[in-house]
Amino acid sequence: MLSTWALETFGPRAEQIRQGVAEALALALENAQDAQKTAQTELLHPFGFTLMSRKFEALASTFADMPDVETVKPPGSQHELVVLGGNLLFPFRYAKDRSVSVVTARIGDGRPSGLVQALFTRFGPRPWAEQLTLGGVEAALPEPATPADRALTRLPEGTRLVLIAYACNARAGLLDVWWGEAELLDRTGSLRWHHCEPIPLAGQAPAVELPGVAAPVGEASAFARGAMPAPALNPRPPYERANALPPMSEAPYAPDAAADEGR
């Protein structure tokens, strides 16, 4: 089943695109594992370098024949980024095993590159909470545009950044894949997900969805399917009814109550 987010983002091609992403990453991981075996070394450089290039190349070749697809190669970048129907696909590895949750995913191991920062600034979702600047007017001025930022200006303003986060290692291969939208929180690469959902992988059990992820279209949530609870009624005592006393809906106000609330 496809989520509302996937259908709204990719339209009727959502299932085809989701499957294509999974197949492209699986191919990139297979190529990286082959490179590691061929190198016959315990160092993981062959695996890492091959995966870094092949994940972008595999996505580009997978969607090359699909309508409304273009690629962009910013200055200084060795890789072409795929823009599919106004959605810029950006894959990154968030973990080497399942001990790390995608919720705590970071872009890279250090400070995000100028390209990554430009992608979030131009095409990422609007931050839920704007950060306040304390350094005066000068500190609030925007940073100078980088070459990567200027190269992205030819893409339409409505372009959306779709993150593809995956966990993998040279021995086990591809473990989990997620996609969605997030904002870049700081210069350490921390993310705040606005939407994140798993991409099914062939031959693997589906990953557990994150709290707050929208239910697939046509499938009601567990709360909506449950029976409506009947509230317990507290009838008025016979004494009040016999003497026509007004109902007491709230406890009488105590003058000292406000002091106990800490206000």
Side-chain angles (χ1 to χ4, degrees):
M1 297 290 290
L2 290 170
S3 69
T4 302
W5 173 86
L7 290 174
E8 291 178 348
T9 303
F10 297 103
R13 302 180 298 178
E15 177 60 37
Q16 180 183 1
I17 294 172
R18 185 175 69 170
Q19 182 177 351
V21 168
E23 293 176 352
L25 287 181
L27 177 60
L29 261 294
E30 182 180 343
N31 297 154
Q33 288 176 311
D34 290 343
Q36 184 65 38
K37 293 177 182 177
T38 302
Q40 296 183 351
T41 175
E42 294 182 358
L43 300 178
L44 296 178
H45 299 314
F47 175 83
F49 284 122
T50 303
L51 179 60
M52 176 60 67
S53 299
R54 286 297 295 147
K55 63 183 179 182
F56 293 103
E57 296 169 352
L59 283 173
S61 61
T62 296
F63 300 116
D65 297 331
M66 186 173 287
D68 198 18
V69 174
E70 62 177 314
T71 57
V72 57
K73 187 176 181 181
S77 174
Q78 300 178 358
H79 316 293
E80 291 185 335
L81 306 179
V82 176
V83 182
L84 178 57
N87 300 289
L88 194 154
L89 307 182
F90 190 81
F92 71 98
R93 182 167 73 165
Y94 73 91
K96 299 178 181 179
D97 53 44
R98 289 194 172 105
S99 65
V100 178
S101 171
V102 71
V103 176
T104 59
R106 294 197 306 169
I107 297 286
D109 296 327
R111 178 173 177 172
S113 65
L115 171 61
V116 170
Q117 295 183 50
L119 290 176
F120 279 94
T121 300
R122 294 189 61 84
F123 309 125
R126 184 174 182 178
W128 281 339
E130 297 288 349
Q131 293 184 351
L132 299 178
T133 57
L134 303 178
V137 177
E138 184 176 353
L141 293 176
E143 296 182 359
T146 63
D149 192 24
R150 288 191 292 268
L152 298 174
T153 57
R154 69 181 182 88
L155 294 176
E157 282 295 329
T159 301
R160 298 169 64 176
L161 177 63
V162 174
L163 300 178
I164 302 172
Y166 61 92
C168 72
N169 60 63
R171 181 182 297 272
L174 191 60
L175 299 174
D176 293 312
V177 182
W178 305 76
W179 66 350
E181 296 177 273
E183 60 180 283
L184 185 63
L185 288 181
D186 50 42
R187 294 185 177 182
T188 67
S190 299
L191 301 175
R192 176 185 288 130
W193 289 98
H194 289 212
H195 183 89
C196 184
E197 64 183 45
I199 292 181
L201 299 177
Q204 294 189 19
V208 179
E209 293 192 356
L210 300 176
V213 174
V217 175
E219 180 179 336
S221 65
F223 178 82
R225 292 194 300 265
M228 182 67 70
L233 300 179
N234 186 16
R236 298 176 61 197
Y239 171 79
E240 292 185 0
R241 293 199 302 268
N243 292 274
L245 296 177
M248 183 71 70
S249 58
E250 296 181 358
Y253 176 76
D256 296 334
D260 295 335
E261 295 174 4
R263 289 182 291 181

Coordinates of all heavy atoms in Angstrom, one line a residue, residues 166-260:
Y166 N 19.4 5.1 3.9 CA 19.6 3.6 3.9 C 20.7 3.2 4.8 O 21.6 3.9 5.1 CB 19.9 3.1 2.5 CG 21.2 3.6 1.9 CD1 22.4 2.9 2.0 CD2 21.2 4.8 1.2 CE1 23.5 3.4 1.5 CE2 22.4 5.3 0.6 CZ 23.6 4.6 0.8 OH 24.7 5.1 0.3
A167 N 20.5 2.0 5.4 CA 21.5 1.3 6.2 C 22.1 0.1 5.5 O 21.3 -0.6 4.9 CB 20.9 0.9 7.5
C168 N 23.4 0.0 5.5 CA 24.0 -1.1 4.8 C 25.4 -1.3 5.4 O 26.0 -0.5 6.1 CB 24.1 -0.8 3.3 SG 25.3 0.5 2.9
N169 N 26.0 -2.5 5.0 CA 27.4 -2.7 5.2 C 27.9 -3.7 4.2 O 27.2 -4.3 3.5 CB 27.7 -3.2 6.7 CG 27.0 -4.5 7.0 OD1 27.2 -5.5 6.4 ND2 26.1 -4.4 8.0
A170 N 29.3 -3.9 4.2 CA 29.9 -4.7 3.1 C 29.5 -6.2 3.3 O 29.5 -6.9 2.3 CB 31.4 -4.5 3.1
R171 N 29.3 -6.6 4.5 CA 29.0 -8.0 4.7 C 27.5 -8.3 4.4 O 27.2 -9.3 3.7 CB 29.4 -8.4 6.1 CG 29.1 -9.9 6.4 CD 29.5 -10.2 7.8 NE 31.0 -10.0 8.0 CZ 31.9 -10.9 7.8 NH1 31.5 -12.1 7.4 NH2 33.2 -10.6 8.1
A172 N 26.6 -7.6 5.1 CA 25.2 -7.9 5.0 C 24.5 -7.3 3.8 O 23.4 -7.7 3.5 CB 24.5 -7.4 6.3
G173 N 25.1 -6.3 3.2 CA 24.4 -5.6 2.1 C 23.4 -4.6 2.5 O 23.6 -3.9 3.5
L174 N 22.4 -4.4 1.8 CA 21.3 -3.4 2.0 C 20.4 -3.9 3.1 O 19.8 -5.0 3.0 CB 20.6 -3.1 0.8 CG 19.6 -1.9 0.8 CD1 20.4 -0.6 1.0 CD2 18.9 -1.8 -0.6
L175 N 20.3 -3.2 4.2 CA 19.5 -3.6 5.4 C 18.1 -2.9 5.4 O 17.1 -3.6 5.4 CB 20.2 -3.3 6.7 CG 21.5 -3.9 6.9 CD1 22.2 -3.4 8.1 CD2 21.4 -5.5 6.9
D176 N 18.0 -1.6 5.4 CA 16.8 -0.9 5.4 C 16.9 0.4 4.5 O 18.0 1.0 4.4 CB 16.4 -0.4 6.8 CG 16.1 -1.6 7.7 OD1 15.3 -2.4 7.3 OD2 16.7 -1.6 8.9
V177 N 15.7 0.8 4.0 CA 15.7 2.0 3.2 C 14.4 2.8 3.6 O 13.4 2.2 3.7 CB 15.6 1.7 1.6 CG1 15.6 3.0 0.8 CG2 16.8 0.8 1.2
W178 N 14.6 4.1 3.8 CA 13.5 5.0 4.1 C 13.5 6.2 3.1 O 14.6 6.5 2.6 CB 13.7 5.5 5.5 CG 13.8 4.5 6.6 CD1 14.9 3.7 6.9 CD2 12.8 4.1 7.5 NE1 14.7 2.9 7.9 CE2 13.4 3.1 8.3 CE3 11.5 4.4 7.7 CZ2 12.7 2.4 9.4 CZ3 10.8 3.8 8.8 CH2 11.4 2.8 9.6
W179 N 12.4 6.8 2.9 CA 12.4 8.0 2.2 C 11.4 9.0 2.8 O 10.5 8.6 3.5 CB 12.2 7.8 0.7 CG 10.8 7.3 0.3 CD1 9.8 6.8 1.0 CD2 10.3 7.2 -1.1 NE1 8.8 6.4 0.3 CE2 9.1 6.6 -1.0 CE3 10.9 7.5 -2.3 CZ2 8.3 6.3 -2.2 CZ3 10.1 7.3 -3.5 CH2 8.8 6.7 -3.4
G180 N 11.6 10.3 2.5 CA 10.7 11.3 3.1 C 11.3 12.7 3.0 O 12.2 12.9 2.1
E181 N 10.9 13.6 3.8 CA 11.4 14.9 3.8 C 11.8 15.3 5.2 O 11.1 15.0 6.2 CB 10.3 15.9 3.3 CG 9.9 15.6 1.8 CD 8.8 16.5 1.4 OE1 7.6 16.1 1.6 OE2 9.0 17.6 0.8
A182 N 12.9 16.1 5.3 CA 13.4 16.5 6.6 C 14.1 17.9 6.4 O 14.4 18.3 5.4 CB 14.4 15.5 7.2
E183 N 14.2 18.6 7.6 CA 15.0 19.8 7.6 C 16.3 19.6 8.2 O 16.5 18.7 9.1 CB 14.2 20.9 8.3 CG 13.9 20.6 9.8 CD 13.1 21.7 10.5 OE1 13.8 22.7 10.9 OE2 11.9 21.5 10.7
L184 N 17.3 20.3 7.8 CA 18.6 20.3 8.4 C 18.7 21.2 9.6 O 18.5 22.4 9.5 CB 19.7 20.7 7.3 CG 21.1 20.6 7.7 CD1 21.5 19.1 7.9 CD2 22.0 21.2 6.6
L185 N 19.0 20.6 10.8 CA 18.9 21.3 12.0 C 20.1 22.1 12.3 O 20.0 23.3 12.8 CB 18.6 20.4 13.2 CG 17.2 19.7 13.2 CD1 17.1 18.8 14.5 CD2 16.2 20.8 13.3
D186 N 21.3 21.6 12.0 CA 22.5 22.3 12.4 C 23.7 21.9 11.5 O 23.5 21.1 10.6 CB 22.9 22.0 13.9 CG 22.9 20.5 14.2 OD1 23.4 19.7 13.3 OD2 22.3 20.0 15.2
R187 N 24.9 22.3 11.9 CA 26.0 22.1 11.0 C 26.7 20.8 11.3 O 27.8 20.5 10.8 CB 27.0 23.2 11.2 CG 26.5 24.6 10.7 CD 27.5 25.7 10.7 NE 27.0 26.9 10.1 CZ 27.7 28.0 10.0 NH1 29.0 28.0 10.4 NH2 27.2 29.1 9.4
T188 N 26.1 19.9 12.2 CA 26.6 18.6 12.4 C 25.8 17.6 11.5 O 26.1 16.4 11.6 CB 26.4 18.2 13.9 OG1 25.1 18.1 14.2 CG2 27.1 19.2 14.8
G189 N 24.8 18.1 10.8 CA 24.1 17.2 9.9 C 22.8 16.6 10.5 O 22.2 15.7 9.9
S190 N 22.4 17.0 11.7 CA 21.3 16.5 12.4 C 20.0 16.8 11.6 O 19.9 17.9 11.0 CB 21.1 17.0 13.8 OG 22.3 16.6 14.6
L191 N 19.0 15.9 11.6 CA 17.8 16.1 10.8 C 16.6 16.1 11.7 O 16.6 15.5 12.8 CB 17.6 15.0 9.8 CG 18.7 14.8 8.7 CD1 18.4 13.6 7.9 CD2 18.9 16.1 7.9
R192 N 15.5 16.8 11.3 CA 14.2 16.7 11.9 C 13.3 16.3 10.7 O 13.0 17.0 9.8 CB 13.7 18.0 12.5 CG 12.3 17.9 13.0 CD 11.8 19.3 13.5 NE 12.4 19.7 14.7 CZ 13.0 20.9 15.0 NH1 13.0 21.8 14.0 NH2 13.5 21.1 16.1
W193 N 12.8 15.0 10.8 CA 11.9 14.5 9.8 C 10.6 15.1 9.8 O 9.9 15.2 10.9 CB 11.8 13.0 9.9 CG 13.1 12.2 9.6 CD1 14.0 11.7 10.4 CD2 13.5 11.9 8.3 NE1 15.0 11.1 9.8 CE2 14.8 11.2 8.4 CE3 13.0 12.1 7.0 CZ2 15.5 10.7 7.3 CZ3 13.7 11.6 5.9 CH2 15.0 10.9 6.1
H194 N 10.1 15.6 8.7 CA 8.7 16.0 8.6 C 7.8 14.8 8.1 O 6.7 14.7 8.4 CB 8.6 17.1 7.6 CG 9.1 18.4 8.1 ND1 8.6 19.7 7.7 CD2 10.2 18.7 8.9 CE1 9.3 20.6 8.3 NE2 10.3 20.0 9.0
H195 N 8.4 13.9 7.4 CA 7.8 12.7 7.0 C 8.8 11.7 6.6 O 9.8 12.0 6.0 CB 6.9 12.9 5.7 CG 6.1 11.6 5.4 ND1 4.9 11.3 5.9 CD2 6.5 10.6 4.5 CE1 4.5 10.1 5.4 NE2 5.4 9.7 4.6
C196 N 8.6 10.4 7.1 CA 9.6 9.4 6.9 C 8.9 8.0 6.9 O 8.1 7.8 7.8 CB 10.7 9.4 7.9 SG 12.0 8.2 7.6
E197 N 9.1 7.2 5.8 CA 8.4 5.9 5.8 C 9.4 4.9 5.1 O 10.2 5.3 4.3 CB 7.1 6.1 5.0 CG 7.3 6.4 3.5 CD 6.0 6.6 2.8 OE1 5.1 7.2 3.4 OE2 5.8 6.1 1.7
P198 N 9.2 3.7 5.4 CA 10.1 2.6 4.8 C 9.8 2.3 3.4 O 8.6 2.4 3.0 CB 9.8 1.4 5.7 CG 8.4 1.6 6.2 CD 8.2 3.1 6.4
I199 N 10.8 1.9 2.7 CA 10.6 1.4 1.3 C 10.8 -0.1 1.4 O 11.9 -0.6 1.9 CB 11.7 2.0 0.4 CG1 11.4 3.5 0.1 CG2 11.7 1.3 -1.0 CD1 12.3 4.2 -0.8
P200 N 9.8 -0.9 1.0 CA 10.0 -2.4 1.0 C 11.1 -2.9 0.2 O 11.4 -2.4 -0.9 CB 8.6 -2.9 0.5 CG 7.7 -1.7 0.6 CD 8.5 -0.5 0.4
L201 N 11.8 -3.9 0.7 CA 12.9 -4.5 0.0 C 12.6 -5.9 -0.3 O 11.9 -6.6 0.5 CB 14.2 -4.5 0.8 CG 14.8 -3.1 1.2 CD1 16.0 -3.2 2.0 CD2 15.1 -2.3 -0.1
A202 N 12.9 -6.4 -1.5 CA 12.6 -7.7 -1.9 C 13.2 -8.8 -1.0 O 14.4 -8.7 -0.7 CB 13.1 -8.0 -3.4
G203 N 12.4 -9.7 -0.6 CA 12.9 -10.8 0.3 C 13.1 -10.4 1.7 O 13.7 -11.2 2.5
Q204 N 12.7 -9.2 2.1 CA 12.9 -8.8 3.5 C 11.6 -8.4 4.1 O 10.7 -8.0 3.4 CB 13.9 -7.6 3.6 CG 15.3 -8.0 3.2 CD 16.2 -6.8 3.6 OE1 15.9 -5.9 4.4 NE2 17.4 -6.8 2.9
A205 N 11.4 -8.6 5.4 CA 10.2 -8.2 6.1 C 10.2 -6.7 6.2 O 11.3 -6.0 6.3 CB 10.2 -8.7 7.6
P206 N 9.0 -6.1 6.0 CA 8.9 -4.6 6.0 C 9.4 -4.0 7.3 O 9.2 -4.6 8.4 CB 7.5 -4.3 5.8 CG 6.8 -5.6 6.2 CD 7.7 -6.7 5.9
A207 N 10.1 -2.9 7.2 CA 10.6 -2.2 8.4 C 9.4 -1.6 9.2 O 8.3 -1.3 8.7 CB 11.5 -1.1 8.1
V208 N 9.5 -1.5 10.5 CA 8.5 -0.9 11.4 C 8.4 0.6 11.1 O 9.3 1.3 11.1 CB 8.8 -1.1 12.8 CG1 7.7 -0.5 13.7 CG2 8.9 -2.6 13.1
E209 N 7.1 1.0 10.8 CA 6.9 2.4 10.5 C 7.1 3.3 11.7 O 6.9 2.9 12.9 CB 5.5 2.6 9.9 CG 5.3 2.0 8.5 CD 4.1 2.5 7.9 OE1 3.3 3.2 8.5 OE2 3.8 2.1 6.7
L210 N 7.5 4.5 11.5 CA 7.8 5.5 12.6 C 6.5 6.0 13.1 O 5.5 6.1 12.4 CB 8.7 6.6 12.1 CG 10.1 6.2 11.6 CD1 10.8 7.4 11.1 CD2 10.9 5.5 12.7
P211 N 6.4 6.4 14.4 CA 5.2 7.1 14.9 C 5.0 8.4 14.1 O 5.9 9.1 13.8 CB 5.6 7.4 16.3 CG 6.7 6.5 16.7 CD 7.5 6.2 15.4
G212 N 3.7 8.6 13.8 CA 3.3 9.8 13.1 C 3.3 9.6 11.6 O 2.9 10.6 10.9
V213 N 3.7 8.5 11.1 CA 3.7 8.3 9.6 C 2.2 8.0 9.2 O 1.5 7.3 9.8 CB 4.5 7.1 9.2 CG1 4.4 6.8 7.7 CG2 6.0 7.4 9.5
A214 N 1.8 8.7 8.1 CA 0.5 8.6 7.6 C 0.1 7.2 7.2 O 1.0 6.5 6.7 CB 0.2 9.5 6.5
A215 N -1.1 6.7 7.5 CA -1.5 5.4 7.1 C -1.7 5.3 5.6 O -1.9 6.4 4.9 CB -2.8 5.0 7.8
P216 N -1.5 4.2 4.9 CA -1.6 4.1 3.5 C -3.0 4.5 3.1 O -4.0 4.4 3.8 CB -1.4 2.6 3.2 CG -0.5 2.1 4.3 CD -1.0 2.9 5.5
V217 N -3.1 5.0 1.8 CA -4.4 5.5 1.3 C -5.4 4.3 1.3 O -5.1 3.2 0.9 CB -4.3 6.0 -0.1 CG1 -5.6 6.4 -0.7 CG2 -3.4 7.2 0.0
G218 N -6.6 4.5 1.8 CA -7.7 3.5 1.8 C -7.6 2.6 3.0 O -8.4 1.7 3.2
E219 N -6.7 2.9 3.9 CA -6.6 2.1 5.1 C -6.7 3.0 6.3 O -5.9 3.8 6.6 CB -5.2 1.3 5.2 CG -5.0 0.5 6.4 CD -3.7 -0.2 6.4 OE1 -3.2 -0.5 5.3 OE2 -3.2 -0.6 7.5
A220 N -7.8 2.8 7.1 CA -8.0 3.6 8.2 C -7.0 3.2 9.3 O -6.5 2.1 9.4 CB -9.4 3.5 8.7
S221 N -6.8 4.2 10.2 CA -5.9 3.9 11.4 C -6.6 3.0 12.3 O -7.8 2.8 12.3 CB -5.5 5.2 12.0 OG -6.7 5.8 12.6
A222 N -5.8 2.4 13.3 CA -6.4 1.5 14.3 C -7.4 2.2 15.1 O -8.4 1.6 15.5 CB -5.2 0.9 15.1
F223 N -7.2 3.5 15.4 CA -8.1 4.3 16.2 C -9.5 4.4 15.5 O -10.5 4.3 16.1 CB -7.6 5.6 16.6 CG -8.5 6.5 17.4 CD1 -8.6 6.3 18.7 CD2 -9.3 7.4 16.8 CE1 -9.5 7.1 19.5 CE2 -10.2 8.2 17.5 CZ -10.2 8.0 18.9
A224 N -9.4 4.7 14.2 CA -10.6 4.9 13.4 C -11.4 3.6 13.3 O -12.6 3.7 13.2 CB -10.3 5.5 12.0
R225 N -10.7 2.5 13.3 CA -11.4 1.2 13.1 C -12.0 0.7 14.5 O -12.9 -0.2 14.5 CB -10.5 0.1 12.6 CG -10.0 0.4 11.2 CD -9.4 -0.9 10.6 NE -8.2 -1.3 11.4 CZ -7.0 -0.9 11.1 NH1 -6.8 -0.2 10.0 NH2 -6.0 -1.4 11.8
G226 N -11.6 1.3 15.6 CA -12.1 0.8 16.9 C -13.5 1.3 17.2 O -14.0 2.2 16.6
A227 N -14.1 0.6 18.2 CA -15.4 1.0 18.6 C -15.4 2.3 19.4 O -14.5 2.5 20.1 CB -16.1 -0.1 19.4
M228 N -16.4 3.1 19.2 CA -16.5 4.4 19.9 C -16.7 4.1 21.4 O -17.7 3.4 21.7 CB -17.6 5.2 19.4 CG -17.7 6.6 20.0 SD -16.3 7.7 19.7 CE -16.6 8.0 18.0
P229 N -15.8 4.6 22.3 CA -16.0 4.3 23.7 C -17.2 5.0 24.2 O -17.5 6.2 23.8 CB -14.7 4.8 24.3 CG -14.2 5.8 23.4 CD -14.6 5.4 22.0
A230 N -17.9 4.4 25.2 CA -19.1 5.0 25.8 C -18.7 5.7 27.1 O -18.1 5.0 28.0 CB -20.2 4.0 26.1
P231 N -18.9 7.0 27.2 CA -18.4 7.6 28.5 C -19.3 7.2 29.7 O -20.5 7.0 29.5 CB -18.6 9.1 28.1 CG -19.7 9.2 27.1 CD -19.5 7.9 26.3
A232 N -18.6 7.1 30.8 CA -19.3 6.7 32.0 C -20.0 7.9 32.6 O -19.4 9.0 32.7 CB -18.3 6.1 33.0
L233 N -21.4 7.8 32.8 CA -22.2 8.9 33.3 C -22.2 8.8 34.9 O -22.3 7.8 35.5 CB -23.6 8.8 32.8 CG -23.7 8.9 31.2 CD1 -25.1 8.8 30.8 CD2 -23.0 10.2 30.7
N234 N -22.2 10.0 35.4 CA -22.3 10.1 36.9 C -23.6 10.8 37.3 O -23.7 12.0 37.2 CB -21.1 10.9 37.4 CG -21.1 10.9 39.0 OD1 -21.7 10.1 39.6 ND2 -20.3 11.9 39.5
P235 N -24.7 10.0 37.5 CA -26.0 10.6 37.8 C -26.0 11.4 39.0 O -25.3 11.2 40.0 CB -26.9 9.4 37.9 CG -26.0 8.3 38.4 CD -24.7 8.5 37.7
R236 N -26.9 12.4 39.0 CA -27.0 13.3 40.2 C -27.7 12.6 41.4 O -28.6 11.7 41.2 CB -27.9 14.5 39.9 CG -27.3 15.4 38.8 CD -28.3 16.5 38.4 NE -28.5 17.4 39.6 CZ -29.5 18.2 39.7 NH1 -30.4 18.3 38.7 NH2 -29.7 18.9 40.8
P237 N -27.2 12.9 42.6 CA -27.8 12.2 43.7 C -29.3 12.5 43.9 O -29.8 13.6 43.5 CB -27.0 12.8 44.9 CG -25.8 13.3 44.3 CD -26.2 13.8 42.9
P238 N -30.1 11.6 44.4 CA -31.6 11.8 44.6 C -31.9 13.0 45.4 O -32.9 13.7 45.2 CB -32.0 10.5 45.3 CG -31.0 9.5 44.9 CD -29.7 10.2 44.8
Y239 N -31.0 13.4 46.4 CA -31.3 14.5 47.2 C -31.3 15.8 46.4 O -32.1 16.7 46.6 CB -30.2 14.6 48.3 CG -30.2 15.9 49.1 CD1 -31.2 16.1 50.1 CD2 -29.3 16.9 48.8 CE1 -31.2 17.3 50.9 CE2 -29.4 18.1 49.5 CZ -30.3 18.3 50.6 OH -30.3 19.4 51.3
E240 N -30.3 15.9 45.4 CA -30.3 17.1 44.6 C -31.5 17.2 43.7 O -32.1 18.3 43.5 CB -29.0 17.1 43.8 CG -27.7 17.3 44.6 CD -26.5 17.4 43.7 OE1 -26.7 17.3 42.5 OE2 -25.4 17.6 44.2
R241 N -31.9 16.1 43.1 CA -33.1 16.1 42.2 C -34.4 16.4 43.0 O -35.2 17.2 42.5 CB -33.2 14.7 41.5 CG -32.1 14.4 40.6 CD -32.5 13.3 39.6 NE -32.9 12.1 40.3 CZ -32.0 11.1 40.6 NH1 -30.8 11.2 40.2 NH2 -32.4 10.0 41.3
A242 N -34.5 15.9 44.2 CA -35.7 16.1 45.0 C -35.9 17.6 45.4 O -37.0 18.1 45.5 CB -35.8 15.2 46.2
N243 N -34.8 18.2 45.7 CA -34.8 19.6 46.2 C -34.6 20.6 45.0 O -34.4 21.8 45.3 CB -33.8 19.8 47.3 CG -34.2 19.1 48.5 OD1 -35.0 19.5 49.4 ND2 -33.6 17.8 48.7
A244 N -34.5 20.1 43.8 CA -34.3 21.0 42.6 C -33.1 21.9 42.7 O -33.1 23.1 42.4 CB -35.6 21.9 42.4
L245 N -32.0 21.3 43.3 CA -30.8 22.0 43.4 C -30.0 22.0 42.0 O -30.1 21.1 41.3 CB -29.8 21.3 44.4 CG -30.4 21.3 45.9 CD1 -29.4 20.6 46.8 CD2 -30.6 22.8 46.4
P246 N -29.4 23.1 41.7 CA -28.7 23.2 40.4 C -27.5 22.2 40.4 O -26.9 22.0 41.5 CB -28.2 24.7 40.4 CG -28.1 25.1 41.8 CD -29.2 24.4 42.5
P247 N -27.2 21.7 39.3 CA -26.0 20.7 39.2 C -24.7 21.4 39.5 O -24.5 22.6 39.1 CB -26.1 20.2 37.8 CG -26.8 21.3 37.0 CD -27.8 21.9 37.9
M248 N -23.8 20.7 40.1 CA -22.5 21.2 40.4 C -21.5 20.6 39.4 O -21.1 19.4 39.5 CB -22.1 20.8 41.8 CG -20.7 21.3 42.3 SD -20.7 23.1 42.5 CE -21.7 23.2 44.0
S249 N -21.2 21.4 38.3 CA -20.4 20.9 37.3 C -18.9 21.0 37.6 O -18.0 20.3 37.0 CB -20.7 21.6 35.9 OG -20.5 23.0 36.1
E250 N -18.5 22.0 38.4 CA -17.1 22.2 38.7 C -16.9 22.4 40.2 O -17.9 22.7 40.9 CB -16.6 23.4 38.0 CG -16.6 23.3 36.5 CD -16.0 24.6 35.9 OE1 -15.7 25.5 36.6 OE2 -15.9 24.6 34.6
A251 N -15.7 22.1 40.7 CA -15.5 22.3 42.1 C -15.4 23.8 42.4 O -15.1 24.6 41.6 CB -14.1 21.7 42.5
P252 N -15.9 24.2 43.6 CA -15.9 25.6 44.0 C -14.5 26.2 43.9 O -13.5 25.5 44.2 CB -16.4 25.6 45.4 CG -17.2 24.3 45.6 CD -16.5 23.3 44.7
Y253 N -14.4 27.4 43.5 CA -13.1 28.0 43.3 C -12.5 28.4 44.7 O -13.2 29.0 45.5 CB -13.2 29.3 42.5 CG -11.9 30.1 42.4 CD1 -10.9 29.6 41.6 CD2 -11.7 31.2 43.1 CE1 -9.7 30.3 41.5 CE2 -10.5 31.9 43.1 CZ -9.5 31.5 42.2 OH -8.3 32.1 42.2
A254 N -11.3 28.0 44.9 CA -10.6 28.4 46.2 C -9.7 29.5 45.9 O -8.9 29.5 45.0 CB -9.8 27.2 46.7
P255 N -9.8 30.6 46.7 CA -9.0 31.8 46.5 C -7.5 31.5 46.4 O -6.8 32.2 45.7 CB -9.3 32.7 47.7 CG -10.7 32.2 48.1 CD -10.7 30.8 47.9
D256 N -7.0 30.5 47.2 CA -5.6 30.2 47.2 C -5.2 29.2 46.1 O -4.0 28.8 46.1 CB -5.2 29.6 48.6 CG -5.4 30.7 49.7 OD1 -5.4 31.9 49.3 OD2 -5.6 30.3 50.8
A257 N -6.1 28.8 45.2 CA -5.8 27.8 44.2 C -4.7 28.3 43.3 O -3.8 27.6 42.8 CB -7.0 27.4 43.5
A258 N -4.8 29.6 42.9 CA -3.9 30.1 41.9 C -2.5 30.1 42.4 O -1.5 29.9 41.7 CB -4.3 31.6 41.5
A259 N -2.3 30.3 43.8 CA -1.0 30.3 44.3 C -0.3 28.9 44.2 O 0.9 28.7 44.1 CB -1.0 30.7 45.8
D260 N -1.2 27.8 44.3 CA -0.6 26.4 44.2 C -0.3 26.1 42.8 O 0.4 25.1 42.6 CB -1.7 25.5 44.7 CG -1.9 25.7 46.2 OD1 -1.0 26.2 46.9 OD2 -3.0 25.3 46.7

